[in-house]
């Protein structure tokens, strides 16, 4: 028989876990982790240059400097799996300066996620930047690890419900704690990687960068997982202590 306090804690932990998982999943699948604000396009020469950057961004070979410069100049947004730019819906950019902009996106393929980063973006002879390379790989792998831990915790909890046992609750809480830490580490790796990128690739004049809502969703999911973990660990420990006390009382 489960005490009402423990049942309430388990229900709240489940709700927090579901919310955290939804937030993290949406954050991973969207591109608004970091966004750039660029000045309005003016002048025929400037338009030609930006259109060339856009075409290289959409159809050219994958190159960090190329896509970074395009993001800087075309109000780009970049996430864990996507990079996007805001462009006019047709080819005549200079004829419609106030045209409604559309979002054009390219995904990072799996091989691109493991492409080395260089000390000078675009210059393969400058040597590999190991710190940026592994920060990028960690920001890609850690959220997948986090989701995997939550799925494992959910399967374990489902089996515990079928067996009507609170014994695995402590382990489920630990899995949620690890998931929250992985998510927090993802955000830290991403922010550190963007800071290092901006040190080696200076932003153009009048271009500003800011954090996007996708990053905040992932950041919110971390404490939610940790709160769920705290409730699960508390329920497991308290129930275990009460069980041993009742057993000792009956023996006595």
């Amino acid at each position: 028989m489960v005490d009402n306090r423990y049942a309430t804690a388990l229900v709240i932990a489940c709700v927090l876990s579901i919310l955290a998982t939804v937030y993290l999943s949406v954050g991973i699948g969207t591109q608004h982790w970091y966004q750039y604000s660029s000045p309005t396009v003016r002048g025929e020469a400037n338009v030609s240059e930006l259109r060339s950057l856009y075409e290289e961004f959409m159809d050219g070979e994958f190159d960090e400097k190329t896509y970074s410069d395009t993001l800087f100049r075309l109000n780009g947004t970049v996430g864990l799996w996507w990079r996007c730019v805001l462009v006019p819906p047709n080819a005549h950019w200079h004829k419609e300066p106030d045209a409604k902009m559309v979002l054009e996106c390219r995904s990072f393929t799996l091989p691109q996620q493991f492409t080395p980063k260089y000390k000078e973006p675009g210059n393969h002879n400058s040597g590999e930047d190991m710190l940026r390379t592994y920060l990028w790989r960690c920001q890609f792998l850690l959220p997948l690890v986090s989701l995997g831990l939550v799925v494992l915790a959910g399967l374990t909890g489902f089996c515990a419900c079928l067996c009507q046992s609170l014994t695995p609750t402590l382990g489920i809480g630990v899995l949620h704690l690890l998931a929250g830490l992985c998510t927090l580490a993802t955000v830290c790796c991403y922010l550190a990687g963007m800071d290092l990128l901006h040190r080696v690739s200076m932003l153009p004049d009048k271009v500003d960068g800011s954090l996007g809502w996708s990053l905040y969703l992932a950041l919110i999911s971390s404490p939610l997982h940790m709160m769920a973990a705290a409730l699960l660990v508390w329920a497991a420990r308290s129930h275990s202590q009460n069980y041993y006390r009742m057993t000792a009382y009956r023996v006595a």
Side-chain angles (χ1 to χ4, degrees), residues 17 49 65 110 121 151 226 233:
S17 177
E49 178 189 357
K65 179 173 176 53
L110 191 59
V151 170
M226 294 181 183
V233 171

Side-chain angles (χ1 to χ4, degrees), residues 34-45:
Y34 201 90
Q35 53 198 20
Y36 298 97
S37 177
S38 313
T40 305
V41 178
R42 300 294 181 189
E44 185 78 27

Side-chain angles (χ1 to χ4, degrees), residues 24 28 33 79-82 108-115 132-147 182 185-187 189-190:
L24 179 58
I28 293 173
W33 281 65
L80 301 183
W81 283 93
W82 296 93
F108 292 106
T109 64
L110 191 59
Q112 289 171 356
Q113 294 282 13
F114 292 94
T115 301
R132 289 204 307 122
T133 297
Y134 283 99
L135 282 174
W136 184 277
R137 292 174 183 177
C138 286
Q139 78 182 31
F140 160 67
L141 292 172
L142 285 174
L144 301 181
V145 173
S146 180
L147 289 177
C182 286
T186 299
V187 175
C189 288
Y190 186 88

